[in-house]
């Protein structure tokens, strides 16, 4: 029972990270109907920017960890958002209105570009960072096993919850959110009634990238080590999460992320760690076969 | 769609708009500074204390931003001046002149070809080959010329082992591209896990040959059948899904296969891979310097290049088989059903086409050719490991299919030559190779979203065969 609780906590923390990345996928898919394959690598860029910014702050003498982390959060979110914007502007906007596979190929190309750009700029070796936020709480102690929750895990879950609240408010109550929902329903119609769709799509990418940057920082804090290749697997899993939750649905992305995180953690805990990715993907296949629109997705009506 | 037109590109602004171009370039440089500031400007490296330390690189950052500024300035100036438009116009004006020249091309080339025996006699084989190829190119077009080039390559470059190896690599990707073209180009199903079938074929050959001592020629069809079987196994549950779901499921399947190969140590030897895979024999004659070897049997001097040339023609034959089968299938009811399915799935269903079976056959066919290519890969390398079957390979093959122009056999061949050949060309810049490759992928897509060969020949027509231009093809509506 204690073991189960411990895995539950670990799974929720991991799932929050996946969920934040998944939001980027699901928003872009909802609005322009493309798989933004480079999003996983934008997440990786975010983690790298955070690492570099943190080291730079240490070098110029900002040693108070909370202040440094706050500044890192701001810098990484801003710069990663810039990356998201640039990717959309360079690789996707010229292809809007083209056939379905064109932006996908261009996105795969962009993913290769980002990976190799980071590899050349920062080297192929893994980048370790000593744990910044030590400590934690012991919840239950019994049966020779203590259920612990670390401060990093608390920060991850709290930040995710806060961001989700802000983000839901943004989508449901602001003008930008209204524009985004209009674009999601019908791009052409939205532009006819005066929604600046280029701007809306750009902002969607910007927000998605900023959330991915937060996920990147959390990944860095949680695992303490990053390399230029983390984007691929995390991206595929986050996309799996988006599909699992119902692509185009924001609560769905978060739910899917949590589920993927939990499945992965429990599978590694009770069965075998080698096959944890297989478990996540198999669940995806099963869900798609029996629930093709995902858990919270709207059924899509095919029209002639 | 609405691409914002820059006001300065209007023909009225006859003068160079330098101020506008400078502003444009300045903004771009500012964005570039933001992008590069941390990533290029600072480098993290493990320092003397064993911890990560930071090293500033202001020079590199300044160079990168300056390069972006200069590049953007040049593009902006060209776009804002009328130079580009003028060049375009004069090129257009010259087209009829080129057409006139065309009339003379054939007689000139023909007379040159008559020189070939002389060249052959004086042992200028390369020159003779080029002449023949040029003649074929002008007389019959690009596709026969490419085929002739493929046929002649081992003869022309008998001693150039590097070029032969490159040719084999390109042909492998052409074959994979043609195989995937059945699934993506003809049936319109987006498959991101094609490498899985390639892996199944490779491991099928390696394991069957090592454990049961079966020869390549028995394993080849078996590998194809196994891959097709996996295609059906995967396809059966998932093919009712819509396009993008199918993409992600196939991607997941590709990853699952790879992870299983990595972890199933007792069967596949895990990440260490399988080595010592039997090499192919020339219908029972091994390529070695023994008494019963290929060279001894035909009274030739033993030369390791014999095997390379045999492999070259083997993969050429396999690729041509793929092409032939695809072209024939397109004319059969099943091929027409594939193409109809790509154009409109609902219409297909209302016409009584069993969409599941149709998709399944396309999937199985594509998988089978992937399996063939896989077992060829295993026998050529003699060593396989899970590292050869990563997602990048699927993406590469899919990129070849899409960049070539989906459904176009010639386009796939050209795209494979350009991508793989270009990739090899950058070998001396090892570090930047993948970066350039990615940039090329994005730029080709932005430049020609419908691929290099964007027109389409209908396989069924009334009275007269008309080329369908790209802009009226509504691709893969699903």
């Amino acid at each position: 029972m204690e073991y189960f609780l411990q895995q539950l906590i670990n799974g929720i923390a991991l799932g929050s990270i996946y969920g934040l990345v998944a939001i980027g996928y699901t928003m872009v898919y909802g609005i322009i109907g493309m798989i933004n394959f480079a999003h996983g690598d934008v997440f990786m860029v975010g983690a790298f920017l955070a690492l570099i910014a943190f080291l730079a702050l240490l070098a110029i003498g900002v040693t108070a960890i909370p202040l440094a982390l706050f500044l890192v959060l701001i810098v990484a979110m801003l710069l990663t958002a810039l990356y998201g914007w640039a990717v959309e502007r360079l690789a996707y906007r010229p292809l809007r209105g083209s056939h379905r596979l064109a932006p996908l190929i261009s996105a795969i190309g962009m993913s290769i570009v980002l990976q190799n750009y980071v590899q050349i700029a920062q080297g192929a070796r893994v980048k370790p960072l000593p744990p910044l936020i030590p400590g934690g709480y012991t919840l239950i102690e019994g049966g020779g096993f203590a259920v612990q929750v670390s401060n990093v895990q608390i920060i991850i879950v709290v930040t995710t919850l806060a961001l989700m609240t802000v983000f839901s408010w943004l989508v449901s109550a602001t003008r930008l959110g209204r524009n985004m929902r209009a674009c999601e329903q019908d791009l052409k119609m939205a532009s006819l009634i005066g929604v600046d769709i280029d701007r809306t799509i750009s902002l969607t990418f910007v927000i998605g990238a900023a959330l991915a940057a937060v996920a990147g920082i959390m990944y860095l804090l949680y695992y303490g080590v990053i390399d230029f290749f983390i984007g691929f697997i995390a991206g595929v899993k986050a996309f799996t999460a988006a599909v699992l939750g119902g692509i185009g649905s924001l609560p769905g992305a978060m739910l899917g992320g949590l589920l993927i995180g939990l499945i992965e953690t429990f599978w590694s805990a009770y069965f075998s760690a080698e096959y944890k990715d297989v478990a996540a993907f198999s669940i995806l296949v099963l869900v798609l076969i029996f629930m093709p629109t995902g858990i919270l997705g709207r059924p899509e009506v095919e029209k002639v | 769609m609405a691409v914002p037109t820059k006001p300065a590109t209007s023909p009225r602004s006859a003068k160079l708009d330098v101020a506008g171009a400078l502003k444009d370039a300045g903004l771009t440089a500012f964005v570039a500074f933001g992008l590069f500031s941390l990533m290029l400007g600072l480098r993290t490296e493990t320092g003397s204390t064993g911890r990560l330390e930071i090293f500033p690189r202001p020079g590199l950052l300044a160079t990168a931003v300056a390069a972006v500024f200069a590049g953007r300035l040049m593009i902006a100036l060209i776009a804002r001046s009328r130079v580009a438009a003028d060049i375009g116009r004069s090129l257009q004006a010259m087209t009829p002149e080129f057409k006139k020249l065309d009339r003379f091309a054939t007689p000139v080339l023909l007379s040159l070809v008559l020189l070939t025996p002389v060249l052959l006699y004086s042992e200028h084989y390369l020159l003779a080959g080029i002449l023949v190829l040029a003649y074929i190119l002008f007389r019959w077009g690009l596709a026969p010329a490419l085929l002739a080039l493929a046929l002649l390559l081992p003869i022309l470059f008998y001693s150039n082992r590097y070029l032969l190896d490159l040719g084999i690599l390109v042909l492998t990707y052409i074959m994979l591209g043609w195989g995937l073209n059945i699934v993506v180009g003809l049936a319109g199903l987006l498959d991101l896990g094609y490498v899985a079938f390639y892996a199944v074929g490779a491991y099928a050959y390696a394991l069957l040959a090592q454990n049961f001592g079966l020869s390549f020629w028995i394993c080849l069809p078996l590998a194809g059948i196994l891959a097709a079987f996996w295609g059906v196994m995967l396809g059966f549950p998932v093919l009712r899904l819509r396009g993008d779901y199918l993409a992600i499921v196939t991607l997941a399947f590709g990853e699952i296969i790879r992870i299983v190969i990595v972890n199933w140590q007792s069967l596949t030897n895990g990440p260490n891979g399988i080595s010592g895979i039997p090499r192919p024999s020339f219908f029972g004659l091994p390529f070695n310097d023994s008494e019963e070897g290929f060279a001894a049997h035909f009274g030739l001097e033993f030369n390791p290049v014999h095997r390379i040339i045999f492999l070259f023609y083997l993969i050429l034959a396999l690729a041509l088989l793929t092409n032939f089968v695809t072209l024939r299938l397109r004319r059969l009811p099943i091929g027409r059903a594939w193409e109809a399915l790509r154009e409109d799935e609902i219409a297909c269903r209302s016409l009584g086409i069993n969409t599941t079976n149709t998709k399944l056959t396309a999937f199985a066919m594509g998988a089978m050719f992937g399996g063939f290519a896989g077992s060829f890969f295993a026998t050529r390398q003699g060593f396989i490991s899970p590292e050869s079957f990563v997602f990048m390979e699927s993406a590469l093959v899919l990129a070849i299919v899409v960049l070539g122009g989906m459904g176009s056999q010639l386009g796939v061949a050209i795209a494979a030559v350009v991508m793989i050949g270009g990739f090899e060309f950058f070998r001396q810049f090892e570090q930047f190779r993948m970066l350039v490759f990615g940039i090329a992928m994005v730029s080709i897509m932005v430049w020609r979203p419908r691929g290099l060969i964007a027109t389409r020949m209908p396989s069924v027509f009334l009275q007269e065969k008309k080329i369908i231009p790209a802009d009226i093809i509504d691709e893969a509506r699903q």
Side-chain angles (χ1 to χ4, degrees):
Chain A
M1 185 62 203
E2 281 81 11
Y3 190 61
F4 176 83
L5 267 179
Q6 182 65 61
Q7 298 310 326
L8 189 69
I9 292 166
N10 295 349
I12 287 173
L14 182 63
S16 305
I17 298 177
Y18 287 147
L20 281 179
V21 184
I23 287 174
Y25 278 107
T26 214
M27 277 200 312
V28 168
Y29 191 90
I31 288 186
I32 50 176
M34 71 165 276
I35 305 176
N36 179 12
F37 227 93
H39 191 61
D41 297 291
V42 170
F43 155 78
M44 177 271 296
V45 167
F48 261 88
L49 288 174
L51 176 75
I52 298 166
F54 182 74
L55 291 174
L57 282 174
L58 280 191
I60 59 171
V62 183
T63 43
I65 298 287
L67 176 67
L69 276 183
F70 180 72
L71 288 176
V72 162
L73 188 75
I74 304 285
V75 170
M77 275 176 91
L78 279 179
L79 288 184
T80 314
L82 195 63
Y83 271 92
W85 178 84
V87 165
E88 195 267 341
R89 187 71 190 77
L90 289 175
Y92 306 152
R93 192 179 291 180
L95 290 172
R96 211 173 294 150
S98 184
H99 68 107
R100 205 166 44 89
L101 282 184
L104 181 73
I105 296 296
S106 155
I108 293 174
M110 209 64 209
S111 152
I112 298 173
V113 169
L114 285 178
Q115 265 177 34
N116 288 280
Y117 160 69
V118 172
Q119 188 192 354
I120 292 168
Q122 297 296 330
R125 259 187 246 155
V126 293
K127 304 281 177 192
L129 191 70
L132 297 178
I133 310 169
Y137 302 95
T138 305
L139 294 183
I140 310 167
E141 212 163 351
F145 191 86
V147 181
Q148 285 176 331
V149 52
S150 69
N151 286 337
V152 176
Q153 284 173 331
I154 296 174
I155 289 177
I156 287 176
V157 174
V158 169
T159 319
T160 306
L161 279 178
L163 276 175
M164 275 308 285
T165 318
V166 173
F167 187 67
S168 310
W169 168 79
L170 191 85
V171 171
S172 61
T174 62
R175 192 186 173 84
L176 171 66
R178 209 158 58 228
N179 286 352
M180 278 164 64
R181 280 177 291 142
C183 286
E184 189 186 339
Q185 282 183 5
D186 195 327
L187 211 56
K188 219 174 261 175
M189 195 62 211
S191 74
L192 278 178
I193 56 170
V195 174
D196 186 346
I197 54 168
D198 277 339
R199 201 178 114 89
T200 312
I201 293 172
S202 276
L203 280 171
T204 309
F205 274 87
V206 163
I207 296 172
L211 290 178
V214 179
I217 297 170
M218 290 170 174
Y219 187 96
L220 182 64
L221 289 178
Y222 197 44
Y223 290 103
V225 56
I226 53 172
D227 63 53
F228 71 98
F229 202 64
I230 57 168
F232 175 68
I233 281 290
V236 170
K237 279 194 199 140
F239 186 73
T240 302
V243 174
L244 189 60
I247 198 148
S249 148
L250 295 177
M254 209 57 231
L255 181 67
L258 279 178
L259 280 177
I260 291 286
L262 286 171
I263 290 165
E264 203 184 306
T265 317
F266 278 116
W267 190 278
S268 346
Y270 287 100
F271 300 102
S272 66
E274 292 90 36
Y275 286 104
K276 63 179 184 180
D277 296 350
V278 174
F281 294 141
S282 308
I283 296 282
L284 169 84
V285 175
L286 289 178
V287 167
L288 280 179
I289 291 167
F290 294 109
M291 243 192 294
T293 50
I295 299 169
L296 295 180
R298 282 187 298 265
E300 199 155 318
V301 183
E302 274 185 79
K303 283 177 238 166
V304 180
Chain B
M1 285 294 271
V3 177
T5 46
K6 293 189 194 79
T9 48
S10 69
R12 260 176 294 159
S13 62
K15 266 193 174 174
L16 266 180
D17 182 8
V18 179
L22 273 175
K23 194 180 153 202
D24 193 26
L27 270 176
T28 315
F30 181 70
V31 172
F33 176 76
L35 291 178
F36 296 150
S37 56
L38 290 186
M39 204 58 101
L40 289 184
L42 300 168
R43 177 161 175 125
T44 51
E45 206 57 78
T46 314
S48 49
T49 52
R51 283 187 156 204
L52 277 184
E53 277 172 27
I54 207 131
F55 300 93
R57 293 183 293 194
L60 182 67
L61 177 62
T63 320
V65 172
V68 169
F69 180 78
R72 182 70 199 183
L73 188 66
M74 221 152 73
I75 292 172
L77 280 178
I78 289 171
R80 276 153 208 266
S81 72
R82 300 206 297 190
V83 178
D86 284 347
I87 292 174
R89 219 172 296 129
S90 48
L91 273 182
Q92 244 173 7
M94 271 160 72
T95 317
E97 304 294 320
F98 281 127
K99 288 247 170 80
K100 269 184 218 155
L101 279 179
D102 207 37
R103 240 185 312 157
F104 301 106
T106 313
V108 168
L109 275 169
L110 198 61
S111 45
L112 280 175
V113 166
L114 290 177
L115 282 175
T116 323
V118 183
L119 287 171
L120 283 179
Y121 184 70
S122 57
E123 300 197 329
H124 287 96
Y125 296 116
L126 193 58
L127 214 54
I130 291 172
L131 270 183
V132 172
L133 287 178
Y135 179 72
I136 295 173
L137 180 67
F138 275 89
R139 190 73 179 77
W140 287 293
L142 188 55
L146 273 179
L147 178 60
L149 174 67
L151 284 170
L152 286 179
L153 195 75
I155 302 168
L156 292 178
F157 299 101
Y158 180 76
S159 52
N160 192 340
R161 169 129 194 216
Y162 169 72
L163 202 66
L164 288 178
D165 275 333
L166 180 59
I168 292 175
L169 190 67
V170 169
L171 280 170
T172 312
Y173 278 98
I174 290 180
M175 179 171 179
L176 283 171
W178 278 341
L180 185 63
N181 205 12
I182 299 176
V183 184
V184 179
L186 292 187
L189 304 165
L190 182 48
D191 186 350
L192 284 179
Y194 194 59
V195 77
F197 307 123
Y198 190 45
V200 168
Y203 271 89
Y205 170 64
L207 294 174
L208 285 174
Q210 282 208 325
N211 295 339
F212 301 103
L214 297 178
S215 85
F216 176 73
W217 295 102
I218 296 170
C219 287
L220 185 72
L222 281 179
I225 290 169
L226 271 173
F229 176 70
W230 273 101
V232 174
M233 283 249 292
L234 167 73
F236 196 68
V238 303
L239 279 176
R240 70 186 85 173
L241 300 173
R242 280 179 55 252
D244 300 295
Y245 292 121
L246 183 66
I248 195 71
V249 170
T250 47
L251 191 158
F253 178 68
E255 281 298 297
I256 290 176
I257 289 262
R258 195 181 59 82
I259 296 168
V260 169
I261 289 176
V262 169
N263 289 310
W264 196 348
Q265 300 261 0
S266 58
L267 181 71
T268 63
N269 200 17
N272 299 327
I274 302 177
S275 52
I277 299 167
R279 300 305 198 132
S281 55
F282 186 80
F283 303 101
L285 299 173
F287 287 95
N288 53 23
D289 53 359
S290 66
E291 281 296 305
E292 60 269 22
F294 172 81
H297 190 266
F298 287 97
L300 301 165
E301 203 177 317
F302 172 72
N303 190 338
V305 91
H306 287 159
R307 190 176 65 215
I308 308 292
I309 290 177
F310 172 69
L311 284 172
F312 186 93
Y313 281 119
L314 176 62
I315 186 65
L316 182 63
L318 283 172
L320 288 177
L321 176 77
T322 314
N323 185 29
F324 177 74
V325 170
T326 312
L327 289 180
R328 298 300 295 177
L329 278 174
R330 272 184 74 170
R331 292 161 186 274
L332 288 177
I334 184 71
R336 296 181 196 175
W338 289 341
E339 289 192 274
L341 195 69
R342 173 189 66 198
E343 300 302 331
D344 199 325
E345 190 172 340
I346 300 173
C348 269
R349 236 179 280 150
S350 15
L351 286 172
I353 293 173
N354 184 339
T355 51
T356 311
N357 281 359
T358 311
K359 285 177 179 179
L360 216 53
T361 45
F363 225 63
M365 279 312 253
M368 185 181 80
F369 289 117
F372 286 160
S375 61
F376 173 80
F377 175 77
T379 193
R380 179 179 97 102
Q381 298 279 339
F383 166 76
I384 49 172
S385 76
E387 260 172 53
S388 310
F389 308 106
V390 291
F391 168 72
M392 257 320 293
E393 295 290 314
S394 296
L396 184 58
V397 179
L398 183 69
I400 285 172
V401 172
V402 178
L403 291 175
M406 295 196 304
S408 161
Q409 300 288 96
L410 177 62
V412 168
I414 296 173
V417 172
V418 170
M419 297 295 275
I420 308 298
F423 196 55
E424 278 300 309
F425 178 75
F426 278 99
R427 185 170 278 281
Q428 63 259 46
F429 314 106
E430 185 64 43
Q431 217 189 350
F432 297 98
R433 198 152 76 124
M434 281 309 279
L435 187 69
V436 172
F437 183 72
I439 293 173
M441 231 161 121
V442 175
S443 345
I444 297 179
M445 221 58 242
V446 170
W447 171 54
R448 284 191 83 110
R450 284 186 179 277
L452 299 169
I453 306 261
T455 54
R456 190 169 276 167
M457 276 291 193
S459 35
V460 188
F461 50 90
L462 187 68
Q463 283 167 353
E464 162 185 36
K465 198 171 192 169
K466 266 193 254 164
I467 293 176
I468 303 170
D471 44 323
I472 65 164
I473 305 170
D474 193 6
E475 200 71 63
R477 266 186 309 173
Q478 285 189 40

